[in-house]
Amino acid sequence: GGLNAKFQISLRYQLFDGRGRLAERLSWIDDIFLAYSQTSLWDLNDLSKPFRDSSYRPRLFFADYDLHRFFDGRLRLGVEAGAGHESNGKEGEDSRSFNMLYVRPVLTFGDPDGLRAYAAPLVHNYISDDENPTISHYRGYVDWVFGVGSKGGLDFSATLRKGTRSNYGSLELSASYPLSKLSGGDLTGWLMLQYFGGYGESLLDFDRKLDAQLRLGIAIAL
């Protein structure tokens, strides 16, 4: 429908210090995190350049991505589990929100410092989804996440959602490559290429199939 951009910021905060008195009694407590992500779709085609829709996603969760190792550490099992909220902050008929409980098993195979592949499906439910009771028809109950790549090199990932109704769902494909290797060491971050097709890129239009999007951009980590 015209020129647009996608912007996302994600933060994660460790709630408890692993060297504190509480951690001495409860060794797992330093694996509790508070996270926040915000994704916005920016309409660059319109005269006023408005943000078409934004999703706000706070989460509280436990995460241990190295619970157990097999085959001399080349196969690793981890888990993430917690509670989350997602809403678009709008009023009236455009308001969208839901709460969820979720668990994400994480299976990684390969060299942590080299080439590795991973699977990290996020299994969740919907709580208090009165503003969008049919959202499971389009987004389903599992975000199937798969990836392969090398540390400090080319990385590919895919996120697949299959709705509970036939022919509803989405596919997001991403590829990233370090800008330092493209710039001779002058730039930081990653060059990203991303494709999205299907339903639910934004909460506002979760039940509408919009044109597929191919975007080129950058990612940074602090």
Side-chain angles (χ1 to χ4, degrees):
L3 185 65
N4 69 88
K6 184 178 180 179
F7 168 81
Q8 177 170 317
I9 183 170
S10 297
L11 309 169
R12 186 176 72 169
Y13 175 68
Q14 184 180 16
L15 287 177
F16 298 96
D17 191 330
R19 298 167 296 181
R21 290 177 296 175
L22 209 53
E24 292 178 358
R25 301 177 183 178
L26 305 172
S27 59
W28 50 267
I29 202 169
D30 58 339
D31 292 323
I32 297 178
F33 297 89
L34 181 66
Y36 172 78
S37 288
Q38 178 180 328
T39 304
S40 299
L41 298 180
W42 192 4
D43 184 358
L44 300 176
N45 193 57
D46 203 349
L47 183 62
S48 61
K49 308 296 187 292
F51 282 97
R52 167 67 180 165
D53 195 38
S54 296
S55 293
Y56 309 96
R57 300 186 299 278
R59 290 181 184 175
L60 178 66
F61 60 92
F62 168 88
D64 185 343
Y65 302 111
D66 198 4
L67 274 178
H68 199 74
R69 297 188 178 194
F70 308 89
F71 306 115
D72 296 327
R74 297 191 65 82
L75 181 63
R76 296 174 302 283
L77 176 66
V79 68
E80 178 184 322
H85 170 80
E86 184 168 351
S87 63
N88 68 347
K90 294 182 181 291
E91 296 180 327
E93 294 183 355
D94 289 338
S95 178
R96 305 281 188 272
S97 69
F98 66 87
N99 300 313
M100 70 173 182
L101 299 174
Y102 76 93
V103 60
R104 182 199 292 272
V106 182
L107 191 66
T108 307
F109 179 76
D111 183 355
D113 296 318
L115 183 64
R116 80 281 186 270
Y118 61 88
L122 187 147
V123 184
H124 63 91
N125 62 356
Y126 296 97
I127 304 173
S128 303
D129 59 350
D130 299 341
E131 295 175 328
N132 29 254
T134 62
I135 192 170
S136 63
H137 297 172
Y138 301 88
R139 292 177 54 161
Y141 292 94
V142 183
D143 294 358
W144 297 97
V145 180
F146 305 95
V148 62
S150 59
K151 185 176 181 179
L154 188 61
D155 192 273
F156 297 94
S157 65
T159 301
L160 173 66
R161 288 173 172 164
K162 177 64 179 70
T164 58
R165 297 285 181 89
S166 61
N167 301 321
Y168 291 163
S170 65
L171 175 64
E172 183 178 88
L173 301 173
S174 299
S176 64
Y177 191 75
L179 285 170
S180 61
K181 293 189 175 182
L182 295 174
S183 64
D186 292 326
L187 297 175
T188 60
W190 294 266
L191 181 68
M192 286 197 64
L193 181 66
Q194 188 176 88
Y195 165 87
F196 183 91
Y199 294 85
E201 187 173 31
S202 74
L203 273 182
L204 181 64
D205 297 316
F206 76 88
D207 56 356
R208 295 177 57 203
K209 188 175 183 179
L210 305 178
D211 293 338
Q213 303 293 320
L214 185 65
R215 299 185 176 99
L216 181 67
I218 60 171
I220 59 173
L222 303 177

